[in-house]
Amino acid sequence: MLAGLEDVSSGAITIDGVIPHELEQTAAEALEEAGRRALSRGALVVARRTLLRAVELEPSPGRRYLAAHAAWRLADVPTVRDEAEEALAEARAAGLAGVEGRALVLLADLALHAESNVAQAHDLADDALAILPEDELAGLYDAHSLITTIFWWLGDADGATRHGEAMLDLAHRAGRPELESLALTQLAGVAGVRGDAAGSLALLERAEALAETSGSREAMAFALAVHGRRFGETESDEAERYLREAL
């Protein structure tokens, strides 16, 4: 090994024990991009590990948010609140409205699913919609997705449909077929409880095709699970097949 150079556990080469800033920056950017790709595929464990490493190398509010988002999707509830609140505070201090809005959505998700606080979740999601820039399509999608779930909980089919259609439009504009699939599955669920069996099935078939195209296991599992719930008692074998495939 050349004098003055040494390998560290991360695999980076250091000069006199200090990792050059340019190398840290380049590595963090590459890890962030890899983490984003893993999130979009539903490879959540890989995403979480990769994004945490990016934060370690070069912290930023956006990377903190992404790492917290991956933790939430892994149902790591104890970790999420502290990381989301830290990302929110840093984003506000830096004037990063996009990250601030997305952190608010994450905290709203936590309020809804971990605490069953529907009112607080709705307030936080509305705050996010008011803050998020028009070009922050993924953040706006997440906010509308959460509000769709809130209306589903409240039994408001019109509200769930309205925000589900907003999700679908945002996903299409963003060129994200996996998000389009998730939105279509949400809309299929609403159509199903309204008694529109044919419309629900058509939406699910579109959702499954988009999930297949995108390679998202999460989107495909969601579509298959909702599809499985469509069957009645006389079709229990078919229902079981879809639900096992979803698992």
Side-chain angles (χ1 to χ4, degrees), residues 14 25 36 61 81 85 107 123 148 167 184 205 245:
T14 69
Q25 187 177 45
R36 287 178 182 274
R81 183 180 298 280
E85 288 181 345
L107 289 167
D123 287 344
T148 300
M167 290 167 61
L184 286 165
E205 288 174 345
E245 190 174 350

Side-chain angles (χ1 to χ4, degrees), residues 184-185 188 198-211 223 227 242:
L184 286 165
T185 301
S200 178
L201 179 58
L203 289 166
L204 285 169
E205 288 174 345
R206 288 173 59 195
E208 289 164 17
L210 284 165
H227 202 148
Y242 272 92

Side-chain angles (χ1 to χ4, degrees), residues 104-117:
L104 283 168
V105 174
L106 188 51
L107 289 167
D109 228 340
L110 189 65
L112 185 66
H113 290 101
E115 301 164 5
S116 298
N117 192 332

